[in-house]
Each structure stands twice: as C-alpha cells, then as structure tokens.
Amino acid sequence: MVYDAPMSRGVAPLLMMALAVSCASGGHGKTELAAVPPPNAPGPLQTAGPRCQGATCSCRTIDDFGRPAGDGSRNEGDVAPGMKRFEFRTGRGFDPMRVTIDGKGTLVKDTSQVEPTCGYVELGPGRHAVRLRIEAKDAAQGIHPRLLVNEYGRGQNDWYSTFAFGCGSVGPCIKDDMKDWFDKARAVDRGVFDKCGSTRVEGIRWSVEHSPEQTLEDLTLDFVLHVYKFEPRFVHGTPTCKGISGGKGAEEETMQGGAQVE
C-alpha cells in the first residue's frame, strides 16, 4: 500500500481532477509527485566537500540536539557556484539502508558499524527526487528507520533542518507509527520544515512490500526536495525569518514556488 501526501496549493486543481478520475476508476489518487519520477541514479554517491573521499564521507560532529559541535562541523570549504550543499545522515543500527538521490547516486548505510552513515552532495535549484529503502536485518526484530537531511547556508555558515524522518523510538517501527509520522509530516506548513532554510519537501509517500503484520520488515519512503535559488538570510532557529534583510523576498518565493515548474 502506498500513502501519498499532497504537495502544494499550486497543483490543487490538477490534484482534484486526478482524484476524480481515480475515484471513477477505482484507482489510487495521484499527487504532484507523479510529475517527478522516482530517482534514477545508478552507482555510488557523487559526494562533495572536505569530509568526503570518493563515495565515502565522515559525518560532521553534532550535539545531542543535532546542532553543529565545534568549528569542524561548519567547515564546508567551497561550494560550487549556483549549487547548495546538503547532508544526508542515516540512523544508527545494522539494517541495510539505501538513500538514492536523483542524478547523484546512492548512499549505502555501512552495516559493519552501528554509527550513522553520511553523504554530502551538491544540488542545484529545482526539484530532486529522493528514495529511502530499508530492510530489516532480522525480520522478527523489525526496523528502526531514520533519515536526516540538512542544508548548508554558506552566507550564515550554518546548517538548516530540511527534513527529519524517524519511526520507532522505544521499539521497532509499526504501521501505526508510520501513519502518525506521515500525518504530522504532511501537516508541516508548505512542506518547509526549517523556516529559515531555502528548501521545501514535497510529495511524501511511503510503502511496504513484505510486512504482513503491524511491525514493519521493510519500508520505501519517497519525497522531493524543492531547492530554491535564494540563499538563507537568517541563522537556524531565528524566531521569524522575515525582515528587511531579504527574508521577506525569500518567504514570497517559497510561497509561490509550488506553482512553478523548474
């Protein structure tokens, strides 16, 4: 079964038409994600930045709250003109996990150690499909999926919490947990998880293949990162990210972005 999250108000008329056709035919309603195919990126991750050697990267140091810890956590070196640096960080554990980013390859969880695996990539403005696939090492124990996506803002030398996914805190992830997380994720205003960043999340959907019981044995999570051209103007955690320093323009661009095709 697949669960879809609506993507933006800009496609509401098309969405309603799609739903009408779906209901008439008994099929499943589509969202804007239908216009962004699943990621096609064979091969290892195309990494960027000083923490990476080839497809292998060392995770930057963060504290218990996910904030940068030490100067080394903010040392990103040069970012290619017109591009933005993103961090993809898996959860801890030994379950096989793959994160595929359209056009950038696949980040593979290092299952030889319990610690998270990280990948750093550069993405340009536009929409980028991402797929997380995880399978339980032990089906009886289920899965404990985690994925964090963070955006680096070179102007503020800070990191923004673009997307955070986690299921199963005190035990394995179950279907009810996923439904609860899904409802909360699609309730995020305009899909902007970090109001001070410059990226929104669209078209979240999830599915399972071999999980007949409540406990999930596998999971596929799809979503789209919609990266905007403007650079973040405020540090992470600023109470309001609007203002005469350029934040208002950024907010307006974000508000209108759902109706644009890039």
Side-chain angles (χ1 to χ4, degrees), residues 87-105:
E87 174 191 66
F88 290 78
R89 180 184 293 253
T90 74
R92 303 173 75 247
F94 299 102
D95 292 329
M97 178 177 177
R98 300 168 64 87
V99 182
T100 301
I101 307 161
D102 194 41
K104 293 293 181 178

Side-chain angles (χ1 to χ4, degrees), residues 25-70:
S25 64
H28 181 69
K30 296 180 180 180
T31 70
E32 189 185 2
L33 189 60
V36 182
N40 179 19
L45 195 65
Q46 300 172 25
T47 62
R51 297 183 188 84
C52 303
Q53 296 292 330
T56 303
C57 303
S58 300
C59 293
R60 65 189 174 95
T61 304
I62 58 176
D63 60 22
D64 292 338
F65 301 97
R67 301 299 301 137

Side-chain angles (χ1 to χ4, degrees), residues 156-231:
Q156 302 300 327
N157 193 28
D158 201 6
W159 287 90
Y160 301 90
S161 303
T162 300
F163 181 69
F165 164 66
C167 180
S169 55
V170 297
C173 178
I174 64 174
K175 292 177 182 178
D176 287 344
D177 291 337
M178 275 303 304
K179 292 174 182 177
D180 289 343
W181 176 86
F182 178 72
D183 288 341
K184 292 177 181 177
R186 70 175 185 173
V188 172
D189 186 27
R190 303 188 313 280
V192 182
F193 283 69
D194 193 323
K195 306 303 181 186
C196 296
S198 65
T199 304
R200 68 188 290 178
V201 179
E202 303 175 347
I204 303 171
R205 66 180 182 181
W206 64 277
S207 62
V208 297
E209 295 181 6
H210 308 291
S211 302
E213 306 298 333
Q214 269 287 322
T215 299
L216 296 187
E217 301 173 16
D218 67 276
L219 174 71
T220 299
L221 178 70
D222 285 292
F223 58 94
V224 173
L225 294 178
H226 191 161
V227 181
Y228 289 89
K229 295 179 181 178
F230 70 85
E231 291 287 341

Side-chain angles (χ1 to χ4, degrees), residues 89-93 97 109 114-117 144-148:
R89 180 184 293 253
T90 74
R92 303 173 75 247
M97 178 177 177
K109 171 71 172 72
V114 69
E115 296 303 319
T117 297
H144 299 77
R146 298 282 188 280
L147 178 64
L148 300 177

